[in-house]
Amino acid sequence: MKYYIIFGPPGAGKGTQSSLLVEKYCLKHISTGDLLRKEIEKKSELGILAKSIIDKGCLVDDATVLEMIRKEIFANKPDVNGFILDGFPRTIEQAISLDKLLESLGRKVDAVIALEIDDDVMIKRIQHRAKIEDRVDDMDFETIQNRIITYHKKTEPLIKYYKEKGNYFPVNGETSIEDGFNDICQIINKINNE
Ligand code: AMP
C-alpha cells in the first residue's frame, strides 16, 4: 500500500491530477476539502462549523481533519494500491500526526508530489474554477487572498519538513495538465520500481 500526498497551493491542480492518478494507478483519493464540502451539503454540525471557516479562507482545526483522514484510511479498501491525500496535511501538526498514524500501520508517506505555481497563476486558476464549480470560497477575492496568505503561512513550511525527510518531489504546476501528469507518473513509476 502506497501513501502519496498531492501537495500545492489552492488552484495548483491537485484535484485534476488526483483524478488522473486514481485511474492510472488504482488509488483511493482522499480530499479533505471534498469531505468537508459533503458535510456542508448534509448541513451536519461539522458542516455548519466548517462552512463558516471555509468561507473566510481559514483552516478547519487540525483534530477535526485528522479524524476525517483517520476514518478514511482505516476504512481500508483492499482493492486499491494506495492512497492519494489531497489538501492534507496543511499544517506541520497535521503532517506530524499523519506520520504517527502511518507509523502505527508500519507505513510512511512514500512521496509528496508538489505542484509548484506562482501566486498570480493561482489567482487566475481559482477565478477560472469559480465559473465552472459552484464554490463559495472561489468567488470572493478577499477569501481567495486569505487562502493564499494561509497557504504561505501555515502550509508552505511543510516543504522544508518533507525536504528534510527526503520524500519531496517538485513538479512544475504551470504546464499543461498532460505534461504535469507525465512528470508525476515518472516520479511514481520510479518509486514503484524501487
Ligand atoms: P480545498 O478543497 O482543499 O481547497 O479545501 C477547501 C477548504 O477546506 C480550505 O480552504 C480549508 O478551509 C478547508 N480544509 C481542507 N483541507 C483542510 C485541512 N487539511 N486542514 C484544515 N482545513 C482544511
Side-chain angles (χ1 to χ4, degrees):
M1 197 63 80
K2 298 282 187 198
Y3 292 86
Y4 301 110
I5 293 169
I6 187 106
F7 184 85
K14 301 189 292 294
T16 306
Q17 295 296 350
S18 293
S19 309
L20 297 170
L21 292 168
V22 160
E23 280 288 309
K24 179 162 173 146
Y25 294 101
C26 188
L27 302 169
K28 181 174 172 177
H29 178 217
I30 306 178
S31 155
T32 40
D34 286 350
L35 291 170
L36 289 165
R37 280 185 287 276
K38 274 190 200 139
E39 293 298 322
I40 294 173
E41 257 175 54
K42 280 196 268 173
K43 295 194 167 62
S44 67
E45 205 178 314
L46 166 60
I48 292 163
L49 172 74
K51 183 171 166 43
S52 65
I53 298 167
I54 292 174
D55 286 356
K56 281 190 227 126
C58 299
L59 293 183
V60 173
D61 70 278
D62 291 334
T64 301
V65 282
L66 182 71
E67 183 53 21
M68 285 180 355
I69 286 285
R70 209 187 57 80
K71 274 192 194 147
E72 292 290 320
I73 287 180
F74 280 99
N76 205 336
K77 285 211 177 128
D79 56 336
V80 294
N81 297 323
F83 293 86
I84 181 130
L85 306 182
D86 165 3
F88 180 92
R90 257 178 158 98
T91 63
I92 293 282
E93 288 73 17
Q94 290 178 17
I96 293 170
S97 302
L98 176 65
D99 282 344
K100 282 189 190 149
L101 178 70
L102 294 182
E103 213 178 288
S104 74
L105 297 170
R107 304 285 174 189
K108 61 176 171 35
V109 174
D110 291 282
V112 178
I113 297 151
L115 299 171
E116 297 187 334
I117 63 166
D118 280 344
D119 286 9
D120 52 341
V121 182
M122 240 186 262
I123 295 169
K124 281 196 194 111
R125 291 244 188 107
I126 295 172
Q127 286 175 329
H128 175 69
R129 187 170 64 186
K131 292 181 195 146
I132 302 165
E133 294 173 26
D134 195 20
R135 279 182 57 166
V136 179
D137 61 340
D138 279 348
M139 290 174 194
D140 178 63
F141 191 67
E142 208 179 306
T143 306
I144 297 173
Q145 273 186 320
N146 206 18
R147 281 157 71 200
I148 294 173
I149 292 167
T150 305
Y151 170 78
H152 287 305
K153 203 167 139 199
K154 304 237 173 104
T155 309
E156 214 164 43
L158 290 175
I159 296 175
K160 186 166 173 271
Y161 179 86
Y162 287 116
K163 272 186 180 167
E164 281 172 3
K165 288 193 176 282
N167 55 1
Y168 182 83
F169 298 88
V171 167
N172 184 350
E174 294 187 5
T175 59
S176 67
I177 294 172
E178 293 74 23
D179 286 350
F181 185 60
N182 283 336
D183 290 346
I184 296 171
C185 289
Q186 280 184 28
I187 295 165
I188 294 192
N189 293 341
K190 196 166 163 269
I191 288 167
N192 284 341
N193 290 329
E194 271 168 8

